[in-house]
Amino acid sequence: MKYISGKDRKQTCLFPVSLEDSIDQFNSVRAIDQFVEQLDLEKLGFRRDFIE
């Protein structure tokens, strides 16, 4: 029989912290994100698959 592990009772937040909240406002990754958003990725050979 497998052991079922429970949840940590000492967790500090109800929901997981989002990636957006964990990156500082002035972090350089935000500039990179804006640059990539400007690119036409389909024209560069990338494909977008949407799951509905």
Side-chain angles (χ1 to χ4, degrees):
M1 184 149 100
K2 294 182 180 180
Y3 178 76
I4 300 173
S5 61
K7 300 291 181 189
D8 182 13
R9 293 181 185 196
K10 297 178 184 176
Q11 73 182 30
T12 57
C13 61
L14 182 59
F15 301 104
V17 178
S18 72
L19 187 57
E20 181 69 27
D21 292 341
S22 63
I23 297 173
D24 185 54
Q25 180 182 1
F26 300 106
N27 192 308
S28 59
V29 76
R30 294 193 180 274
I32 296 168
D33 182 49
Q34 288 180 348
F35 173 76
V36 171
E37 285 294 322
Q38 299 285 328
L39 298 175
D40 186 357
L41 296 177
E42 290 179 10
K43 188 175 179 181
L44 293 171
F46 291 91
R47 184 180 75 198
R48 296 179 83 174
D49 291 332
F50 295 100
I51 301 173
E52 293 185 33

Short mmCIF file of all heavy atoms in Angstrom, two decimals:
data_model
loop_
_atom_site.label_atom_id
_atom_site.label_comp_id
_atom_site.label_asym_id
_atom_site.label_seq_id
_atom_site.Cartn_x
_atom_site.Cartn_y
_atom_site.Cartn_z
N MET A 1 0.84 -1.17 0.00
CA MET A 1 0.00 0.00 0.00
C MET A 1 0.89 1.24 0.00
O MET A 1 1.85 1.33 0.74
CB MET A 1 -0.90 -0.01 1.24
CG MET A 1 -1.86 1.12 1.24
SD MET A 1 -3.37 0.72 2.06
CE MET A 1 -3.32 1.35 3.62
N LYS A 2 0.55 2.21 -0.86
CA LYS A 2 1.34 3.43 -0.96
C LYS A 2 1.00 4.39 0.17
O LYS A 2 -0.13 4.44 0.62
CB LYS A 2 1.08 4.12 -2.30
CG LYS A 2 1.56 3.32 -3.48
CD LYS A 2 1.32 4.10 -4.75
CE LYS A 2 1.81 3.30 -5.93
NZ LYS A 2 1.60 4.00 -7.19
N TYR A 3 1.99 5.14 0.57
CA TYR A 3 1.81 6.14 1.61
C TYR A 3 1.29 7.42 0.96
O TYR A 3 1.79 7.89 -0.06
CB TYR A 3 3.13 6.43 2.33
CG TYR A 3 3.02 7.50 3.36
CD1 TYR A 3 2.43 7.24 4.60
CD2 TYR A 3 3.48 8.78 3.12
CE1 TYR A 3 2.31 8.23 5.56
CE2 TYR A 3 3.36 9.78 4.07
CZ TYR A 3 2.78 9.49 5.28
OH TYR A 3 2.66 10.48 6.22
N ILE A 4 0.25 8.01 1.49
CA ILE A 4 -0.31 9.25 0.98
C ILE A 4 0.22 10.39 1.83
O ILE A 4 0.00 10.43 3.04
CB ILE A 4 -1.86 9.24 1.04
CG1 ILE A 4 -2.39 8.08 0.21
CG2 ILE A 4 -2.42 10.56 0.57
CD1 ILE A 4 -3.89 7.87 0.35
N SER A 5 0.93 11.32 1.18
CA SER A 5 1.47 12.44 1.95
C SER A 5 0.45 13.57 1.98
O SER A 5 -0.23 13.84 0.99
CB SER A 5 2.78 12.94 1.33
OG SER A 5 2.56 13.38 0.02
N GLY A 6 0.35 14.22 3.11
CA GLY A 6 -0.61 15.31 3.29
C GLY A 6 -0.03 16.64 2.92
O GLY A 6 1.12 16.76 2.49
N LYS A 7 -0.81 17.68 3.10
CA LYS A 7 -0.37 19.05 2.83
C LYS A 7 0.33 19.62 4.05
O LYS A 7 0.06 19.24 5.18
CB LYS A 7 -1.57 19.93 2.48
CG LYS A 7 -2.35 19.47 1.28
CD LYS A 7 -1.53 19.64 0.03
CE LYS A 7 -2.33 19.18 -1.18
NZ LYS A 7 -1.56 19.13 -2.39
N ASP A 8 1.24 20.54 3.80
CA ASP A 8 1.97 21.21 4.87
C ASP A 8 1.03 22.16 5.59
O ASP A 8 0.47 23.08 5.00
CB ASP A 8 3.16 21.97 4.30
CG ASP A 8 3.99 22.64 5.36
OD1 ASP A 8 3.82 22.34 6.56
OD2 ASP A 8 4.84 23.47 4.99
N ARG A 9 0.85 21.98 6.88
CA ARG A 9 -0.04 22.83 7.66
C ARG A 9 0.55 24.20 7.93
O ARG A 9 -0.15 25.12 8.32
CB ARG A 9 -0.35 22.19 9.01
CG ARG A 9 -1.16 20.94 8.88
CD ARG A 9 -1.45 20.40 10.25
NE ARG A 9 -2.12 19.12 10.16
CZ ARG A 9 -2.75 18.56 11.16
NH1 ARG A 9 -2.78 19.15 12.32
NH2 ARG A 9 -3.33 17.41 11.00
N LYS A 10 1.83 24.36 7.71
CA LYS A 10 2.51 25.63 7.99
C LYS A 10 2.72 26.46 6.73
O LYS A 10 3.54 27.35 6.72
CB LYS A 10 3.85 25.35 8.65
CG LYS A 10 3.71 24.66 9.99
CD LYS A 10 5.05 24.36 10.58
CE LYS A 10 4.89 23.58 11.87
NZ LYS A 10 6.16 23.18 12.43
N GLN A 11 1.98 26.16 5.68
CA GLN A 11 2.14 26.94 4.45
C GLN A 11 1.79 28.39 4.72
O GLN A 11 0.92 28.70 5.52
CB GLN A 11 1.29 26.39 3.32
CG GLN A 11 -0.20 26.65 3.45
CD GLN A 11 -0.98 26.03 2.31
OE1 GLN A 11 -0.56 25.02 1.78
NE2 GLN A 11 -2.08 26.63 1.95
N THR A 12 2.49 29.30 4.04
CA THR A 12 2.31 30.73 4.33
C THR A 12 1.30 31.42 3.42
O THR A 12 0.88 32.52 3.71
CB THR A 12 3.65 31.47 4.23
OG1 THR A 12 4.17 31.26 2.92
CG2 THR A 12 4.63 30.97 5.27
N CYS A 13 0.94 30.81 2.31
CA CYS A 13 -0.04 31.44 1.44
C CYS A 13 -1.05 30.40 0.96
O CYS A 13 -0.74 29.23 0.84
CB CYS A 13 0.62 32.13 0.26
SG CYS A 13 1.55 31.03 -0.80
N LEU A 14 -2.23 30.87 0.70
CA LEU A 14 -3.30 29.99 0.27
C LEU A 14 -3.10 29.54 -1.17
O LEU A 14 -3.31 28.39 -1.51
CB LEU A 14 -4.65 30.69 0.43
CG LEU A 14 -5.89 29.89 0.06
CD1 LEU A 14 -5.99 28.63 0.90
CD2 LEU A 14 -7.14 30.74 0.24
N PHE A 15 -2.69 30.48 -2.02
CA PHE A 15 -2.47 30.18 -3.43
C PHE A 15 -1.00 30.37 -3.78
O PHE A 15 -0.32 31.20 -3.18
CB PHE A 15 -3.32 31.10 -4.31
CG PHE A 15 -4.80 30.97 -4.03
CD1 PHE A 15 -5.48 31.92 -3.31
CD2 PHE A 15 -5.50 29.86 -4.49
CE1 PHE A 15 -6.83 31.79 -3.05
CE2 PHE A 15 -6.85 29.72 -4.23
CZ PHE A 15 -7.51 30.68 -3.51
N PRO A 16 -0.50 29.66 -4.78
CA PRO A 16 0.91 29.83 -5.16
C PRO A 16 1.16 31.24 -5.69
O PRO A 16 0.28 31.87 -6.28
CB PRO A 16 1.12 28.81 -6.28
CG PRO A 16 -0.14 28.07 -6.43
CD PRO A 16 -1.18 28.65 -5.56
N VAL A 17 2.36 31.74 -5.48
CA VAL A 17 2.74 33.06 -5.95
C VAL A 17 2.89 32.99 -7.47
O VAL A 17 3.48 32.07 -8.01
CB VAL A 17 4.07 33.50 -5.31
CG1 VAL A 17 4.51 34.85 -5.83
CG2 VAL A 17 3.94 33.53 -3.80
N SER A 18 2.34 33.99 -8.16
CA SER A 18 2.45 33.99 -9.62
C SER A 18 3.85 34.44 -10.04
O SER A 18 4.54 35.16 -9.30
CB SER A 18 1.41 34.91 -10.23
OG SER A 18 1.74 36.26 -10.00
N LEU A 19 4.25 34.04 -11.22
CA LEU A 19 5.55 34.43 -11.74
C LEU A 19 5.62 35.95 -11.89
O LEU A 19 6.64 36.57 -11.61
CB LEU A 19 5.79 33.74 -13.09
CG LEU A 19 7.16 33.89 -13.71
CD1 LEU A 19 8.25 33.40 -12.77
CD2 LEU A 19 7.23 33.14 -15.02
N GLU A 20 4.53 36.54 -12.33
CA GLU A 20 4.46 38.01 -12.49
C GLU A 20 4.74 38.71 -11.16
O GLU A 20 5.46 39.70 -11.12
CB GLU A 20 3.07 38.40 -13.01
CG GLU A 20 2.88 39.87 -13.23
CD GLU A 20 3.68 40.42 -14.40
OE1 GLU A 20 3.97 39.66 -15.33
OE2 GLU A 20 4.01 41.61 -14.35
N ASP A 21 4.22 38.19 -10.08
CA ASP A 21 4.41 38.80 -8.76
C ASP A 21 5.82 38.59 -8.22
O ASP A 21 6.29 39.37 -7.40
CB ASP A 21 3.41 38.25 -7.76
CG ASP A 21 1.99 38.67 -8.07
OD1 ASP A 21 1.80 39.66 -8.82
OD2 ASP A 21 1.06 38.00 -7.58
N SER A 22 6.49 37.54 -8.66
CA SER A 22 7.80 37.24 -8.10
C SER A 22 8.95 37.92 -8.83
O SER A 22 10.08 37.88 -8.38
CB SER A 22 8.02 35.72 -8.07
OG SER A 22 8.02 35.21 -9.38
N ILE A 23 8.67 38.57 -9.98
CA ILE A 23 9.72 39.27 -10.73
C ILE A 23 9.64 40.76 -10.41
O ILE A 23 8.59 41.38 -10.54
CB ILE A 23 9.55 39.05 -12.25
CG1 ILE A 23 9.72 37.56 -12.56
CG2 ILE A 23 10.57 39.86 -13.03
CD1 ILE A 23 9.41 37.21 -14.00
N ASP A 24 10.76 41.33 -10.00
CA ASP A 24 10.85 42.74 -9.65
C ASP A 24 10.45 43.63 -10.83
O ASP A 24 10.67 43.28 -11.99
CB ASP A 24 12.27 43.08 -9.21
CG ASP A 24 12.41 44.49 -8.72
OD1 ASP A 24 11.66 44.88 -7.81
OD2 ASP A 24 13.28 45.21 -9.26
N GLN A 25 9.87 44.77 -10.54
CA GLN A 25 9.38 45.68 -11.57
C GLN A 25 10.50 46.13 -12.51
O GLN A 25 10.28 46.36 -13.70
CB GLN A 25 8.73 46.89 -10.92
CG GLN A 25 8.19 47.90 -11.90
CD GLN A 25 7.59 49.11 -11.20
OE1 GLN A 25 7.61 49.21 -9.99
NE2 GLN A 25 7.07 50.03 -11.97
N PHE A 26 11.72 46.27 -12.02
CA PHE A 26 12.83 46.78 -12.81
C PHE A 26 13.80 45.68 -13.25
O PHE A 26 14.91 45.97 -13.69
CB PHE A 26 13.57 47.87 -12.04
CG PHE A 26 12.68 49.03 -11.69
CD1 PHE A 26 12.24 49.21 -10.39
CD2 PHE A 26 12.25 49.90 -12.66
CE1 PHE A 26 11.41 50.26 -10.07
CE2 PHE A 26 11.42 50.97 -12.35
CZ PHE A 26 10.99 51.15 -11.05
N ASN A 27 13.38 44.43 -13.18
CA ASN A 27 14.22 43.32 -13.60
C ASN A 27 14.38 43.35 -15.12
O ASN A 27 13.44 43.65 -15.86
CB ASN A 27 13.57 42.00 -13.17
CG ASN A 27 14.50 40.83 -13.31
OD1 ASN A 27 15.09 40.60 -14.36
ND2 ASN A 27 14.62 40.06 -12.23
N SER A 28 15.58 43.03 -15.61
CA SER A 28 15.85 43.09 -17.05
C SER A 28 15.03 42.09 -17.85
O SER A 28 14.84 42.27 -19.05
CB SER A 28 17.34 42.88 -17.31
OG SER A 28 17.75 41.63 -16.81
N VAL A 29 14.49 41.08 -17.21
CA VAL A 29 13.68 40.10 -17.92
C VAL A 29 12.41 40.75 -18.47
O VAL A 29 11.86 40.31 -19.48
CB VAL A 29 13.36 38.88 -17.03
CG1 VAL A 29 12.30 39.20 -16.00
CG2 VAL A 29 12.93 37.70 -17.86
N ARG A 30 11.96 41.82 -17.87
CA ARG A 30 10.77 42.53 -18.38
C ARG A 30 11.06 43.19 -19.73
O ARG A 30 10.21 43.21 -20.62
CB ARG A 30 10.28 43.54 -17.36
CG ARG A 30 9.76 42.85 -16.10
CD ARG A 30 8.98 43.81 -15.23
NE ARG A 30 8.51 43.15 -14.04
CZ ARG A 30 7.37 42.46 -13.96
NH1 ARG A 30 6.61 42.34 -15.02
NH2 ARG A 30 7.00 41.88 -12.84
N ALA A 31 12.26 43.73 -19.91
CA ALA A 31 12.65 44.31 -21.20
C ALA A 31 12.74 43.22 -22.26
O ALA A 31 12.31 43.42 -23.40
CB ALA A 31 13.98 45.04 -21.07
N ILE A 32 13.28 42.08 -21.89
CA ILE A 32 13.36 40.95 -22.83
C ILE A 32 11.96 40.49 -23.21
O ILE A 32 11.69 40.21 -24.39
CB ILE A 32 14.18 39.80 -22.20
CG1 ILE A 32 15.62 40.25 -21.98
CG2 ILE A 32 14.12 38.56 -23.07
CD1 ILE A 32 16.43 39.33 -21.12
N ASP A 33 11.06 40.45 -22.25
CA ASP A 33 9.68 40.05 -22.52
C ASP A 33 9.02 41.01 -23.52
O ASP A 33 8.35 40.58 -24.45
CB ASP A 33 8.89 40.01 -21.21
CG ASP A 33 7.47 39.55 -21.41
OD1 ASP A 33 7.25 38.51 -22.08
OD2 ASP A 33 6.55 40.21 -20.90
N GLN A 34 9.22 42.30 -23.34
CA GLN A 34 8.66 43.27 -24.27
C GLN A 34 9.24 43.12 -25.67
O GLN A 34 8.54 43.24 -26.66
CB GLN A 34 8.89 44.69 -23.76
CG GLN A 34 8.03 45.04 -22.57
CD GLN A 34 8.29 46.46 -22.09
OE1 GLN A 34 9.25 47.11 -22.49
NE2 GLN A 34 7.43 46.93 -21.20
N PHE A 35 10.54 42.85 -25.75
CA PHE A 35 11.19 42.65 -27.04
C PHE A 35 10.60 41.44 -27.76
O PHE A 35 10.26 41.51 -28.94
CB PHE A 35 12.70 42.47 -26.85
CG PHE A 35 13.42 42.10 -28.12
CD1 PHE A 35 13.66 43.05 -29.09
CD2 PHE A 35 13.85 40.80 -28.33
CE1 PHE A 35 14.32 42.71 -30.26
CE2 PHE A 35 14.50 40.45 -29.50
CZ PHE A 35 14.74 41.41 -30.46
N VAL A 36 10.46 40.33 -27.05
CA VAL A 36 9.94 39.11 -27.66
C VAL A 36 8.49 39.30 -28.08
O VAL A 36 8.07 38.80 -29.14
CB VAL A 36 10.09 37.92 -26.69
CG1 VAL A 36 9.36 36.69 -27.20
CG2 VAL A 36 11.56 37.60 -26.47
N GLU A 37 7.70 40.05 -27.32
CA GLU A 37 6.31 40.31 -27.68
C GLU A 37 6.21 41.10 -28.99
O GLU A 37 5.22 40.98 -29.69
CB GLU A 37 5.59 41.07 -26.55
CG GLU A 37 5.27 40.21 -25.36
CD GLU A 37 4.25 39.13 -25.67
OE1 GLU A 37 3.30 39.38 -26.44
OE2 GLU A 37 4.41 38.02 -25.14
N GLN A 38 7.22 41.88 -29.32
CA GLN A 38 7.22 42.68 -30.55
C GLN A 38 7.53 41.83 -31.78
O GLN A 38 7.21 42.24 -32.90
CB GLN A 38 8.27 43.80 -30.45
CG GLN A 38 8.03 44.77 -29.33
CD GLN A 38 6.90 45.73 -29.63
OE1 GLN A 38 6.68 46.09 -30.77
NE2 GLN A 38 6.18 46.14 -28.60
N LEU A 39 8.14 40.67 -31.61
CA LEU A 39 8.56 39.84 -32.74
C LEU A 39 7.37 39.13 -33.38
O LEU A 39 6.41 38.76 -32.70
CB LEU A 39 9.56 38.77 -32.28
CG LEU A 39 10.88 39.28 -31.71
CD1 LEU A 39 11.69 38.11 -31.18
CD2 LEU A 39 11.67 40.03 -32.75
N ASP A 40 7.44 38.94 -34.68
CA ASP A 40 6.44 38.14 -35.40
C ASP A 40 6.97 36.70 -35.40
O ASP A 40 7.71 36.29 -36.30
CB ASP A 40 6.26 38.67 -36.82
CG ASP A 40 5.15 37.96 -37.56
OD1 ASP A 40 4.55 37.01 -37.00
OD2 ASP A 40 4.88 38.36 -38.71
N LEU A 41 6.61 35.95 -34.38
CA LEU A 41 7.17 34.61 -34.19
C LEU A 41 6.75 33.64 -35.29
O LEU A 41 7.53 32.76 -35.67
CB LEU A 41 6.78 34.07 -32.81
CG LEU A 41 7.35 34.86 -31.64
CD1 LEU A 41 6.85 34.28 -30.31
CD2 LEU A 41 8.86 34.89 -31.67
N GLU A 42 5.56 33.80 -35.83
CA GLU A 42 5.11 32.93 -36.92
C GLU A 42 5.96 33.16 -38.17
O GLU A 42 6.31 32.22 -38.87
CB GLU A 42 3.64 33.14 -37.21
CG GLU A 42 2.76 32.62 -36.09
CD GLU A 42 1.27 32.84 -36.35
OE1 GLU A 42 0.91 33.23 -37.49
OE2 GLU A 42 0.49 32.64 -35.42
N LYS A 43 6.31 34.41 -38.42
CA LYS A 43 7.16 34.74 -39.56
C LYS A 43 8.57 34.16 -39.38
O LYS A 43 9.25 33.84 -40.34
CB LYS A 43 7.22 36.25 -39.73
CG LYS A 43 7.91 36.71 -40.98
CD LYS A 43 7.81 38.22 -41.12
CE LYS A 43 8.52 38.69 -42.37
NZ LYS A 43 8.45 40.15 -42.50
N LEU A 44 8.99 34.02 -38.13
CA LEU A 44 10.31 33.46 -37.83
C LEU A 44 10.30 31.93 -37.77
O LEU A 44 11.31 31.32 -37.48
CB LEU A 44 10.81 34.02 -36.49
CG LEU A 44 11.11 35.52 -36.51
CD1 LEU A 44 11.40 36.01 -35.10
CD2 LEU A 44 12.28 35.82 -37.43
N GLY A 45 9.14 31.31 -38.04
CA GLY A 45 9.08 29.85 -38.11
C GLY A 45 8.50 29.17 -36.89
O GLY A 45 8.48 27.95 -36.82
N PHE A 46 8.01 29.95 -35.92
CA PHE A 46 7.41 29.35 -34.73
C PHE A 46 5.91 29.13 -34.97
O PHE A 46 5.28 29.87 -35.72
CB PHE A 46 7.60 30.25 -33.51
CG PHE A 46 9.03 30.32 -33.04
CD1 PHE A 46 9.88 31.30 -33.53
CD2 PHE A 46 9.51 29.40 -32.13
CE1 PHE A 46 11.19 31.37 -33.11
CE2 PHE A 46 10.82 29.46 -31.70
CZ PHE A 46 11.66 30.45 -32.20
N ARG A 47 5.37 28.13 -34.33
CA ARG A 47 3.96 27.81 -34.48
C ARG A 47 3.27 28.00 -33.15
O ARG A 47 3.81 27.69 -32.10
CB ARG A 47 3.84 26.35 -34.92
CG ARG A 47 2.43 25.92 -35.21
CD ARG A 47 2.39 24.49 -35.63
NE ARG A 47 2.58 23.68 -34.43
CZ ARG A 47 2.93 22.41 -34.44
NH1 ARG A 47 3.17 21.80 -35.56
NH2 ARG A 47 3.07 21.74 -33.31
N ARG A 48 2.04 28.51 -33.20
CA ARG A 48 1.26 28.70 -31.98
C ARG A 48 0.11 27.71 -31.99
O ARG A 48 -0.67 27.66 -32.92
CB ARG A 48 0.71 30.12 -31.92
CG ARG A 48 1.82 31.15 -31.81
CD ARG A 48 1.24 32.52 -31.77
NE ARG A 48 0.86 32.79 -30.38
CZ ARG A 48 0.42 33.95 -29.97
NH1 ARG A 48 0.28 34.95 -30.79
NH2 ARG A 48 0.09 34.11 -28.70
N ASP A 49 0.03 26.91 -30.95
CA ASP A 49 -1.07 25.98 -30.78
C ASP A 49 -1.92 26.45 -29.61
O ASP A 49 -1.42 26.69 -28.52
CB ASP A 49 -0.55 24.57 -30.48
CG ASP A 49 0.14 23.95 -31.68
OD1 ASP A 49 -0.20 24.31 -32.82
OD2 ASP A 49 1.05 23.12 -31.48
N PHE A 50 -3.20 26.59 -29.85
CA PHE A 50 -4.12 27.03 -28.80
C PHE A 50 -5.00 25.88 -28.37
O PHE A 50 -5.53 25.15 -29.20
CB PHE A 50 -5.02 28.18 -29.30
CG PHE A 50 -4.24 29.43 -29.61
CD1 PHE A 50 -3.90 29.75 -30.92
CD2 PHE A 50 -3.85 30.28 -28.60
CE1 PHE A 50 -3.20 30.90 -31.20
CE2 PHE A 50 -3.15 31.44 -28.87
CZ PHE A 50 -2.81 31.75 -30.18
N ILE A 51 -5.15 25.73 -27.09
CA ILE A 51 -6.02 24.71 -26.52
C ILE A 51 -7.25 25.42 -25.96
O ILE A 51 -7.14 26.32 -25.14
CB ILE A 51 -5.32 23.91 -25.41
CG1 ILE A 51 -4.08 23.23 -25.98
CG2 ILE A 51 -6.27 22.91 -24.80
CD1 ILE A 51 -3.22 22.55 -24.94
N GLU A 52 -8.41 25.04 -26.44
CA GLU A 52 -9.64 25.68 -25.95
C GLU A 52 -10.43 24.74 -25.11
O GLU A 52 -10.42 23.60 -25.19
CB GLU A 52 -10.48 26.17 -27.12
CG GLU A 52 -9.78 27.29 -27.86
CD GLU A 52 -10.66 27.87 -28.95
OE1 GLU A 52 -11.90 27.90 -28.77
OE2 GLU A 52 -10.11 28.28 -29.96
#
